[in-house]
Amino acid sequence: MADGGAMRRVETGGAAGFWAPGSRILWRYRENGGTHVHIARPVTVVRDDADLLAVWLAPGTECVKPVLADGTPVHLEPLESRYTRPRTVQRDRWFGTGVLKLARPGEPWSVWLFWEPGWQFKNWYVNLEEPLARWAGGVDSVDHFLDISVHPDRSWHWRDEDEFAQARRDGLMDDQQAEKVRAAGRGAVEVIRAWGPPFTEGWQHWRPDPSWAVPSLPEDWDRTPAHVSS
């Protein structure tokens, strides 16, 4: 991890404790249908308790992302071959404005907040995924392709339905898993329509502590956790 001294992990009754604000952890995703980590983002903990994990992905953070084996960015590959061509990973920087990520324990999605330059709030983004699994250095998940954009006027729309359909065609999820993802999406939509948390909690007005440095990407960003819990 980038700064082991900034981490706090307490074992109480067999359950992992919480990270203190300002701790630096990794927010990672394993590849679909595999075990290798293909996305790793160093983030700073904003809040961590029994109800919510909130982290800040700062502009300029060095991350790991998937690319095709020849270096082509994934999003530039035609959809029909996007998930079947060989891939590798590369280091890159998170450009643009930062992202605030919110995740409730056991929930099959996380909610991300995006801003335009000058802290003009842009939108919430519901990322459907496996519930986060906690380990000593951070949290791991698997992305489920389907997403939802939520706008300040409370309107919303599905995103990446074409990628979700292609992933099914390419065997990255079976019918049972796909229905679980759809059910998770319907659950998220219920929260949006009811305008429940985190949309009601004012996170769009949050700002990072100016004293926080940008976390560095550790060399062992892809290490296997010694212990994982949900």
Side-chain angles (χ1 to χ4, degrees):
M1 194 184 49
D3 184 356
M7 286 219 33
R8 180 172 64 92
R9 187 170 186 271
V10 182
E11 295 292 342
T12 306
F18 301 112
W19 291 298
S23 299
R24 299 173 183 179
I25 65 172
L26 287 172
W27 185 295
R28 309 191 306 183
Y29 290 94
R30 299 185 305 278
E31 60 188 2
N32 298 86
T35 59
H36 295 102
V37 172
H38 70 159
I39 295 174
R41 297 166 180 164
V43 294
T44 302
V45 174
V46 175
R47 169 183 159 188
D48 186 31
D49 54 39
D51 297 319
L52 185 74
L53 171 64
V55 304
W56 171 241
L57 174 59
T61 300
E62 186 179 23
C63 302
V64 171
K65 69 176 186 179
V67 294
L68 301 186
D70 63 3
T72 300
V74 170
H75 71 277
L76 295 182
E77 177 67 15
L79 189 61
E80 294 73 18
S81 53
R82 186 173 300 172
Y83 301 123
T84 55
R85 287 193 60 189
R87 292 189 180 193
T88 185
V89 295
Q90 72 176 27
R91 291 172 178 245
D92 203 351
R93 296 281 175 180
W94 186 272
F95 290 104
T97 58
V99 182
L100 180 66
K101 298 187 177 189
L102 311 173
R104 294 168 63 88
E107 208 158 53
W109 65 77
S110 56
V111 179
W112 305 0
L113 283 78
F114 289 87
W115 288 266
E116 302 285 3
W119 287 104
Q120 177 66 39
F121 182 62
K122 182 180 180 182
N123 67 284
W124 293 273
Y125 182 91
V126 179
N127 196 71
L128 297 176
E129 59 193 31
E130 284 189 4
L132 297 181
R134 299 169 65 98
W135 54 286
V139 291
D140 287 1
S141 183
V142 176
D143 183 77
H144 286 159
F145 303 99
L146 193 61
D147 307 297
I148 307 170
S149 277
V150 185
H151 302 284
D153 65 0
R154 302 191 185 187
S155 63
W156 62 273
H157 65 271
W158 295 103
R159 294 177 59 107
D160 304 325
E161 290 187 279
D162 56 343
E163 295 187 359
F164 181 70
Q166 188 66 46
R168 292 188 64 184
R169 285 192 291 270
D170 290 336
L172 295 181
M173 63 174 64
D174 58 23
D175 290 344
Q176 182 179 13
Q177 177 64 30
E179 177 49 37
K180 286 179 61 178
V181 175
R182 280 291 187 187
R186 290 192 294 270
V189 167
E190 289 180 5
V191 175
I192 296 165
R193 286 175 170 160
W195 209 241
F199 306 104
T200 57
E201 296 178 332
W203 284 103
Q204 64 270 33
H205 306 300
W206 174 88
R207 300 293 183 266
D209 187 328
S211 70
W212 287 346
V214 176
S216 58
L217 181 70
E219 290 299 322
D220 60 348
W221 57 266
D222 59 345
R223 67 191 182 278
T224 302
H227 171 74
V228 175
S229 63
S230 58

